[in-house]
Amino acid sequence: MSSAIEMTLTQLRDALAAGAVSSVEATRAYLDAIAARDGTIRAYTQVFAERALERAAAADAARAAGRPGGLLAGVPVSIKDNMCTDYGRTTCASRMLEHFAAPYTATAVRRLEDAGAIVLGKTNMDEFAMGSSTENSRLQQTTNPWDPARVPGGSSGGAAASVAGRLCAGALGSDTGGSIRLPAALCGCVGLKPTYGRVSRYGLVAFASSLDQIGPLTRTVADAALLTEVLCGHDPLDSTSVAQPAPACLAELETPVDGLRVGLVREWVSDRLDPQTHQAVDRAVGALSDQGARIVEVSLPHSRIDVGRDGALSSYAVACYYIVATAEASSNLARYDGVHYGHRTAEAGEDIVEMVSRSRAQAFGDEVKQRIMLGTYTLSSGYYDAYYLKALKVRRLIAGDFHRAFEQVDVLLGPTSPEPAFAIGAKTADPLTMYLTDVFTLSTNLAGLPAISLPAGLSREGLPLAVQLQGPVFQEPRLLRAARMIERALDLGAMIPPCVKGLPS
Ligand code: GLN
């Protein structure tokens, strides 16, 4: 029998249900893996070893007493450190919230725990989820399990590294502009960003409320389907949560979508794309067309990438996102004033204004400060119309392009990331270069659509390559079925990084 760590989440769940392995064994195995490998990977900001083992023992005891529990009974998972839990800390990888103990648990985490999942710990991220590489964490640098000199992607870099490094069976991340899909792509995992409103945001520390969604990072498409099914559903505690039952994601997963119409975005899949990433997209195209899918070229004109005379890249989607997201962030982060929430300066000040400004100056990192200033600027009187209002109009145009594309096709296929994982430090000096990392992911959030990233091979350097599928609102089951068609045909095996020794590749 293979060890608990080798099993996918779905396999582990079945093995637990069959009594072939106990939850305590599985949890211990993951805690041992964390002790062995997380010194280098640094995926976890906190590990709840004692709590996890207690709950695992309770799951085993309940099963032995004839109460098998929910869909995830006894399965060890990780959660991103921007989801509130009434145990441990909720830090957002920020000095501002380093000691923050939330009084309640996020609905998404609760749903997982109600289904029986065992939370092993919380994972590292860019501070307040602002970033694409996890280099903006103020707590630690997470490394890519495929190469410790490279970034894991971000902002859910800890989540992706915990899955790829076999430090949990599955993870929760959050995606505002690509933060689930990008790290999933760079670490060789599957990452799904649900339709806006599908998963409750209650208890997710807000970055940009009109864009944020929680979703799963896993080893396989089936694992993502299982977690999506558990996560989705109406929550009266989140006014943007849609009143629809959770979709059945697993039931039809193995049934290929008949006559699937796949759109290739002309503006994205061009000769300007990194050649190895292009080949990965071609492989996925081949896999789908071999199974009877029809490939059609479509256009998303407002999500195109322009090349300036100086060779610099630009995109309406990136510009629009960085106005909308920073405007919302500047408002959401106003609560961290050292009074309502967060770090309070120890230095004596003249008045409350000085106290608040010192507290914020000390506790926020540079990227967060930059975004608060940018967002405050674009919302200020005189600039609101020129920037924020205009960005909202561009957002509508971007969403309209997707709407038209989905009149012709069922899903869109393209790259997730412009390139495989880059070296730590390679993009930190130039924020614009870093922002362009999200050029293929953030228009999905602006349009509120679901999308999934999945592995599509390895680069010559041995780094994961990925493709992304996007779909119309509420079509998570279709996306997962199409992703499964690619996964089955490419047959990449377990995508195990070199640092995970002793497991078959
Ligand atoms: N990289 C993007 C940003 O920095 C998206 C982050 C996210 O999805 N949380 O805003």
Side-chain angles (χ1 to χ4, degrees):
M1 187 201 71
S2 53
S3 79
I5 286 186
E6 288 172 49
M7 296 178 203
T8 67
L9 189 151
T10 320
Q11 289 167 345
L12 176 59
R13 185 208 46 169
D14 293 345
L16 285 162
V21 63
S22 75
S23 180
V24 168
E25 277 171 314
T27 304
R28 272 231 170 83
Y30 277 115
L31 291 171
D32 289 348
I34 292 169
R37 285 194 292 279
D38 207 38
T40 307
I41 299 178
R42 309 207 68 196
Y44 283 91
T45 53
Q46 301 165 80
V47 176
F48 308 125
E50 207 176 304
R51 182 178 185 275
L53 284 168
E54 269 169 26
R55 295 178 76 95
D60 289 338
R63 203 186 300 278
R67 286 177 281 114
L71 272 178
L72 300 172
V75 176
V77 298
S78 74
I79 55 178
K80 186 174 177 178
D81 206 355
N82 60 350
M83 295 172 209
C84 289
T85 45
D86 63 8
Y87 48 92
R89 300 274 176 267
T90 300
T91 72
C92 289
S94 179
R95 295 278 170 229
M96 185 56 92
L97 292 179
E98 204 174 349
H99 307 292
F100 174 61
Y104 63 96
T105 297
T107 298
V109 178
R110 172 143 297 152
R111 289 185 84 103
L112 243 54
E113 294 198 307
D114 285 351
I118 310 291
V119 174
L120 291 167
K122 289 178 131 172
T123 55
N124 196 27
M125 53 186 281
D126 286 294
E127 185 177 15
F128 285 101
M130 297 177 187
S132 311
S133 64
T134 315
E135 288 166 293
N136 294 334
S137 167
R138 301 267 279 158
L139 303 183
Q140 64 204 42
Q141 177 63 57
T142 301
T143 61
N144 190 312
W146 291 84
D147 176 352
R150 293 177 193 261
V151 301
S155 67
S156 311
S162 73
V163 173
R166 304 306 193 253
L167 306 176
C168 62
L172 287 193
S174 67
D175 192 312
T176 305
S179 277
I180 289 175
R181 290 160 287 159
L182 186 71
L186 269 39
C187 290
C189 327
V190 175
L192 183 138
K193 176 234 170 273
T195 308
Y196 184 77
R198 256 299 194 208
V199 177
S200 170
R201 290 182 298 109
Y202 180 73
L204 170 69
V205 177
F207 162 12
S209 309
S210 77
L211 302 162
D212 299 338
Q213 269 296 286
I214 293 175
L217 291 102
T218 55
R219 294 180 209 171
T220 67
V221 174
D223 292 357
L226 176 57
L227 287 186
T228 303
E229 211 167 294
V230 174
L231 284 172
C232 290
H234 181 238
D235 178 11
L237 297 172
D238 171 3
S239 62
T240 62
S241 155
V242 292
Q244 278 198 26
C249 295
L250 265 177
E252 303 271 315
L253 186 65
E254 296 301 329
T255 319
V257 188
D258 219 14
L260 182 71
R261 297 169 304 164
V262 180
L264 271 186
V265 181
R266 189 177 309 139
E267 288 81 4
W268 292 351
V269 188
S270 71
D271 359 323
R272 291 211 311 269
L273 187 61
D274 161 61
Q276 299 200 77
T277 306
H278 202 309
Q279 283 160 19
V281 175
D282 290 344
R283 270 197 295 278
V285 166
L288 290 172
S289 51
D290 284 352
Q291 294 172 76
R294 197 150 54 81
I295 315 293
V296 187
E297 213 180 77
V298 295
S299 177
L300 297 177
H302 298 94
S303 297
R304 72 171 184 270
I305 303 160
D306 293 317
V307 191
R309 248 184 261 136
D310 55 355
L313 301 180
S314 64
S315 139
Y316 284 137
V318 175
C320 172
Y321 170 86
Y322 277 96
I323 291 172
V324 173
T326 57
E328 294 185 22
S330 72
S331 161
N332 275 328
L333 271 63
R335 72 192 70 168
Y336 306 110
D337 55 7
V339 180
H340 296 93
Y341 289 101
H343 164 82
R344 183 187 296 188
T345 181
E347 291 168 28
E350 278 293 304
D351 54 19
I352 178 125
V353 175
E354 204 167 299
M355 189 280 284
V356 170
S357 78
R358 269 194 202 156
S359 300
R360 288 166 70 86
Q362 287 167 2
F364 285 137
D366 289 346
E367 181 65 29
V368 173
K369 283 179 186 160
Q370 176 164 287
R371 293 197 190 198
I372 291 173
M373 286 189 276
L374 202 61
T376 307
Y377 179 80
T378 59
L379 286 176
S380 55
S381 130
Y383 297 104
Y384 182 95
D385 289 357
Y387 294 107
Y388 184 67
L389 200 60
K390 189 170 276 175
L392 290 187
K393 291 175 183 168
V394 175
R395 182 176 188 175
R396 177 58 71 89
L397 292 172
I398 289 171
D401 287 349
F402 278 105
H403 192 73
R404 269 184 296 282
F406 288 128
E407 283 168 1
Q408 299 171 55
V409 297
D410 302 312
V411 293
L412 294 173
L413 171 68
T416 310
S417 164
E419 56 183 357
F422 48 91
I424 292 173
K427 298 192 184 194
T428 39
D430 180 4
L432 283 184
T433 316
M434 187 69 93
Y435 292 175
L436 281 162
T437 308
D438 304 306
V439 71
F440 301 123
T441 50
L442 37 76
S443 46
T444 327
N445 302 68
L446 289 167
L449 304 173
I452 186 168
S453 177
L454 72 154
L458 288 179
S459 73
R460 277 187 301 279
E461 303 78 24
L463 297 170
L465 298 166
V467 293
Q468 173 181 219
L469 289 165
Q470 296 156 302
V473 284
F474 305 127
Q475 297 299 335
E476 286 85 0
R478 183 196 296 166
L479 274 185
L480 286 156
R481 280 168 70 186
R484 180 68 191 119
M485 288 167 76
I486 298 175
E487 183 184 56
R488 193 185 305 115
L490 295 187
D491 193 17
L492 298 170
M495 292 284 288
I496 297 173
C499 73
V500 184
K501 298 216 178 65
L503 296 183
S505 52

